[in-house]
Amino acid sequence: MKEILVIAVLVFIVILQFYIYRRSIKRKESVYNVLKETDREKIKSINNGLDEYGFYFEDSSDIIASKMYCWQRKMGYCKLYDELAPSLNMVIDCEPIYFNYNKRRWLIEFWKGQYGMTTGGEVGIYVTDKKDIDIPGFFTGPFYECVTDEERLDMKFTLIKEKGEIFNRQEHHWWLTGFDVGGFSEPSNLSMEIALEFPNSQMKKEFINGLKTAGYKDDDYKSINNSVYIKFDTPKSDQGDKHYKILLPYIQLMNKNFCNLYNYLTRDFNRTIDKIYFLYTYYPTLFKILSRDKELKQIEKVYKTIQSYLNEGGIDNE
């Protein structure tokens, strides 16, 4: 009996060693296959994978960013989206700045924090000329449309963690974003230095009024010509995560584990482009998590509910 047990243990060890060896060989082959591809081929494949989620790989900044004409642009914006963020593994600070200009209500909002397995920041521009909607038991408040091409602004921001810059973005856009893959952060450890250039002094003035209404003091921003420079660190607005407050540490633990898993699986690569391509090719499930597939489905569901209400004439257009 003892001899049989010893033989069984030896067989198990041999099988385990063979399995580890095969996995090692397969991994080396996978790494080689990634490295032999050209960067152009990698970017094309990555962006094909990201396209349906509204993002692309910004190789000059080594980050993922939002496309100009993405599905999110059709979804508009309402506060409910922010309130749902924790359920989508997004633990973020939100700073909505409301103001009136040219007989319409405008919203320019800032975001920073942890988006699943990425650390990121956003600046978005929205507008409405309609009254608030009221969908009993679902949502009450203004629903904004994303601005048109003609209403986009020159925007830029630098995302900073403690005292170190993570990345910076600059573009003529309606939704300027950037996401550092595999980076983990608490929103309180992040800050954004934001610059917005307005088309005229009147719009700039109204935006500054919105800043002041939100709680910003004269020392919190700087105005030069038609540009405004703001530092966004501790949000001054009420955050929409009160229903998830007790769950936030667990959501962040999940996010941190995803970041650790991503960094472990891609440990053989030094460049982000290689890491993401490796994930896209050999770990498609994790790539979908990176792409925020869950967010797409949930926001679409919310938007369809609101849109069906709008189509039924539940909003006053006068």
Side-chain angles (χ1 to χ4, degrees):
M1 185 68 180
K2 186 177 180 181
E3 291 178 353
I4 294 175
L5 181 61
V6 170
I7 292 173
V9 170
L10 289 174
V11 170
F12 174 76
I13 292 173
V14 170
I15 293 174
L16 180 61
Q17 288 177 332
F18 179 75
Y19 174 77
I20 293 172
Y21 172 75
R22 286 294 301 162
R23 286 295 298 268
S24 175
I25 294 298
K26 187 175 180 180
R27 181 174 180 84
K28 288 180 180 178
E29 290 175 350
S30 302
V31 171
Y32 172 76
N33 289 336
V34 169
L35 295 177
K36 76 177 183 180
E37 297 286 344
T38 66
D39 283 358
R40 178 177 292 183
E41 291 170 326
K42 292 171 191 173
I43 291 173
K44 182 179 179 180
S45 295
I46 291 170
N47 287 341
N48 283 341
L50 290 173
D51 182 68
E52 67 175 295
Y53 305 106
F55 300 104
Y56 72 101
F57 179 66
E58 176 56 72
D59 57 318
S60 63
S61 301
D62 223 24
I63 57 172
I64 288 177
S66 55
K67 297 175 60 180
M68 185 69 70
Y69 303 102
C70 53
W71 66 267
Q72 291 91 335
R73 196 168 185 179
K74 300 176 183 178
M75 302 298 160
Y77 167 86
C78 67
K79 191 176 181 181
L80 183 57
Y81 292 175
D82 288 343
E83 293 175 353
L84 288 172
S87 69
L88 304 174
N89 289 86
M90 295 188 291
V91 180
I92 54 179
D93 286 337
C94 311
E95 193 79 291
I97 308 299
Y98 303 98
F99 62 100
N100 295 319
Y101 168 69
N102 200 21
K103 298 181 180 181
R104 292 188 296 170
R105 291 187 290 172
W106 291 72
L107 165 65
I108 296 181
E109 184 158 356
F110 318 137
W111 298 268
K112 62 180 174 69
Q114 191 66 27
Y115 300 74
M117 67 170 72
T118 69
T119 285
E122 313 169 72
V123 180
I125 313 171
Y126 311 90
V127 68
T128 183
D129 58 1
K130 301 182 173 60
K131 293 184 178 181
D132 291 0
I133 62 174
D134 183 7
I135 308 177
F138 187 75
F139 172 71
T140 299
F143 181 80
Y144 296 87
E145 300 292 342
C146 301
V147 295
T148 64
D149 281 355
E150 293 72 26
E151 294 167 326
R152 293 173 299 174
L153 300 178
D154 286 333
M155 303 188 286
K156 61 182 177 181
F157 73 79
T158 300
L159 185 66
I160 300 166
K161 184 173 183 179
E162 296 168 344
K163 293 184 179 180
E165 177 182 320
I166 301 178
F167 62 82
N168 62 77
R169 294 279 288 126
Q170 180 173 357
E171 201 168 342
H172 188 70
H173 220 297
W174 67 275
W175 182 37
L176 187 65
T177 70
F179 305 96
D180 178 41
V181 184
F184 178 80
S185 307
E186 295 293 343
S188 58
N189 293 333
L190 298 172
S191 64
M192 293 173 69
E193 294 180 352
I194 303 165
L196 304 170
E197 184 177 344
F198 294 93
N200 55 63
S201 60
Q202 185 60 36
M203 188 175 187
K204 182 197 74 170
K205 178 183 176 181
E206 298 300 342
F207 172 74
I208 289 176
N209 288 338
L211 279 176
K212 292 180 177 179
T213 301
Y216 282 77
K217 307 300 182 185
D218 289 342
D219 292 340
D220 296 326
Y221 67 90
K222 183 167 60 174
S223 173
I224 300 176
N225 298 323
N226 287 332
S227 296
V228 180
Y229 302 84
I230 315 109
K231 183 169 184 178
F232 172 40
D233 42 30
T234 303
K236 305 183 187 303
S237 310
D238 291 334
Q239 300 301 290
D241 57 10
K242 57 184 177 181
H243 300 299
Y244 296 91
K245 210 74 175 179
I246 194 172
L247 296 176
L248 293 183
Y250 301 98
I251 296 171
Q252 276 294 68
L253 178 61
M254 185 185 304
N255 289 338
K256 188 172 185 178
N257 287 337
F258 276 129
C259 289
N260 289 339
L261 179 60
Y262 164 81
N263 289 314
Y264 175 75
L265 292 175
T266 61
R267 63 191 181 277
D268 291 307
F269 305 100
N270 296 318
R271 301 191 307 158
T272 301
I273 186 174
D274 295 329
K275 289 173 178 286
I276 298 177
Y277 182 72
F278 181 71
L279 207 69
Y280 171 75
T281 306
Y282 296 100
Y283 296 93
T285 300
L286 280 177
F287 184 82
K288 289 183 71 174
I289 294 173
L290 167 66
S291 306
R292 290 152 61 183
D293 174 64
K294 186 179 177 183
E295 177 192 6
L296 184 155
K297 294 174 181 176
Q298 187 63 36
I299 296 300
E300 273 190 328
K301 184 178 179 181
V302 171
Y303 176 73
K304 285 179 180 178
T305 300
I306 294 175
Q307 192 63 34
S308 64
Y309 179 83
L310 297 177
N311 291 339
E312 290 171 3
I315 191 166
D316 187 348
N317 291 315
E318 293 182 1

